[in-house]
Amino acid sequence: MKSCSAAAPCSTANLGPGYDVFGLALDALEDKVKVSRTYPDGGGRITIKNSDQAIPSMPESNSAGLVVKKMMQDFEISDSTEIEVTKGVPSGYGVGSSAASAAAAAMAFNALYDLRIDRNRLVEYAAEGEVASAGTKHYDNVSASLLGGFVICRVASDRTQFIRLEPPEDLVLVVAVPCLEVPKKKTEVARSVLPKMVPLKDVVYNISGAATIVAGFALKDVETITRGIDDVIIESARKHLIPGYDSVKQNAISAGALAVTISGAGPSMIAFLKTNKNAKTVAAAMANGFKDTGVESRTFVCRASKGARLLT
Ligand code: HSE
């Protein structure tokens, strides 16, 4: 039985104003996916083994399964395939869990069949997996998880383009993951509360923040990055879904964080720091913010990740 394995890291999406456009890979936690060819010409049957029993194992509702299914269809592969997912990234908390499984699955499948798919197209395949949790394809988490670093997803009518910038070495992130029950298909729920129309002045504010973030990454300047991380469109619509949002944010800033925002669709929150001098204090302050509303949390201090990698 021939197999290939890959690991892909967790990630944060949006970074405030870059909704569905910005992703940043984080070197905190990772998923591992092993793809094996079980029977040649086995009718394209996909079976999934998952270390997290809460995650569906039907290929149509599993992010790694959807990716492999689409790749098998496109490359007319009819072998039976087994996917073994070892979850390290908690599912449903806004740290790119489904994206990590999808990114690792795309990379492992590409290697198993020596498909030599270019990285841009591999991200497109990985994004197929987001339909399992978000209901639609979006590229911010998967592109960061696969490519590593900071990624801008340039939305185009034909093919989305992924532009990767190397984050500054002194960028430190603190992620607080609240121990809350999250609804099934949480991302779909968090997307359903967003406004369909927004005032032009809010769009202008967010574009100015997003442009500042890109400039900050291009200049490798953490302070410039963090000056852009303020969003007046998405956060205000979602913050009621996060108990303790205001205290977590306020506590982190008081403890020395330069910026704080919702990580992806939440409910995790992420703080941005220059150097890790205050990181533990910021982590404790964020945990206290959740605790004030009776919610325990796990915190991680991390840096940007280099992205997915094949395992030997
Ligand atoms: N950009 C997405 C959202 C990330 O905010 O809904 C969630 O995976």
Side-chain angles (χ1 to χ4, degrees):
M1 182 164 83
K2 201 178 166 215
S3 22
C4 276
S5 302
C10 61
S11 57
T12 189
N14 305 339
L15 290 89
Y19 175 73
D20 278 1
V21 173
F22 293 165
L24 177 68
L26 305 174
D27 72 356
L29 305 162
E30 61 182 18
D31 280 3
K32 290 182 182 144
V33 175
K34 180 173 167 190
V35 185
S36 310
R37 194 177 105 165
T38 44
Y39 299 105
D41 281 327
R45 189 157 175 266
I46 299 173
T47 46
I48 300 178
K49 286 188 189 165
N50 209 315
S51 67
D52 180 344
Q53 299 307 317
I55 292 172
S57 55
M58 295 289 292
E60 295 75 20
S61 0
N62 178 287
S63 55
L66 279 174
V67 173
V68 168
K69 192 169 179 228
K70 175 74 175 151
M71 291 173 88
M72 286 175 74
Q73 276 166 358
D74 284 5
F75 290 90
E76 298 178 351
I77 293 169
S78 58
D79 298 339
S80 280
T81 307
E82 182 185 273
I83 306 170
E84 200 176 327
V85 183
T86 309
K87 291 298 294 175
V89 185
S91 168
Y93 291 90
V95 283
S97 176
S98 54
S101 293
M107 183 172 259
F109 193 83
N110 183 41
L112 181 63
Y113 285 94
D114 195 23
L115 300 174
R116 299 169 195 225
I117 300 170
D118 68 60
R119 294 216 129 196
N120 206 82
R121 192 139 168 251
L122 211 51
V123 175
E124 287 179 355
Y125 277 118
E128 296 287 334
E130 291 295 42
V131 178
S133 63
T136 53
K137 274 195 345 179
H138 60 94
Y139 300 90
D140 42 10
N141 287 107
V142 279
S143 58
S145 198
L146 246 174
L147 306 178
F150 172 68
V151 180
I152 302 157
C153 305
R154 188 182 75 84
V155 181
S157 53
D158 48 357
R159 283 182 76 184
T160 307
Q161 182 191 1
F162 306 103
I163 304 160
R164 182 191 186 283
L165 293 173
E166 190 61 37
E169 280 179 7
D170 53 353
L171 177 63
V172 173
L173 301 312
V174 182
V175 186
V177 182
C179 306
L180 289 169
E181 277 226 8
V182 283
K184 279 202 167 30
K185 298 217 171 206
K186 176 246 26 189
T187 304
E188 201 168 334
V189 173
R191 291 171 86 84
S192 71
V193 302
L194 301 179
K196 301 278 174 288
M197 307 281 280
V198 291
L200 184 59
K201 69 172 181 19
D202 291 350
V203 175
V204 171
Y205 187 88
N206 270 26
I207 290 175
S208 120
T212 305
I213 291 172
V214 172
F217 277 101
L219 297 168
K220 294 201 191 301
D221 178 354
V222 174
E223 274 156 18
T224 302
I225 294 170
T226 56
R227 269 185 221 121
I229 297 176
D230 189 31
D231 153 43
V232 292
I233 298 174
I234 308 295
E235 289 213 36
S236 45
R238 280 181 170 166
K239 64 180 195 175
H240 71 279
L241 300 173
I242 307 176
Y245 166 92
D246 286 317
S247 10
V248 173
K249 192 163 180 168
Q250 190 47 57
N251 284 6
I253 297 289
S254 305
L258 297 175
V260 185
T261 188
I262 300 173
S263 181
S268 296
M269 302 278 293
I270 183 163
F272 294 73
L273 287 77
K274 186 176 158 77
T275 81
N276 61 7
K277 216 176 81 199
N278 290 338
K280 284 197 176 145
T281 319
V282 169
M286 293 171 85
N288 280 337
F290 277 123
K291 211 171 200 162
D292 286 349
T293 48
V295 177
E296 293 300 322
S297 59
R298 290 163 73 194
T299 54
F300 302 94
V301 175
C302 56
R303 292 184 187 261
S305 159
K306 301 258 175 254
R309 65 190 198 286
L310 280 174
L311 300 171
T312 47

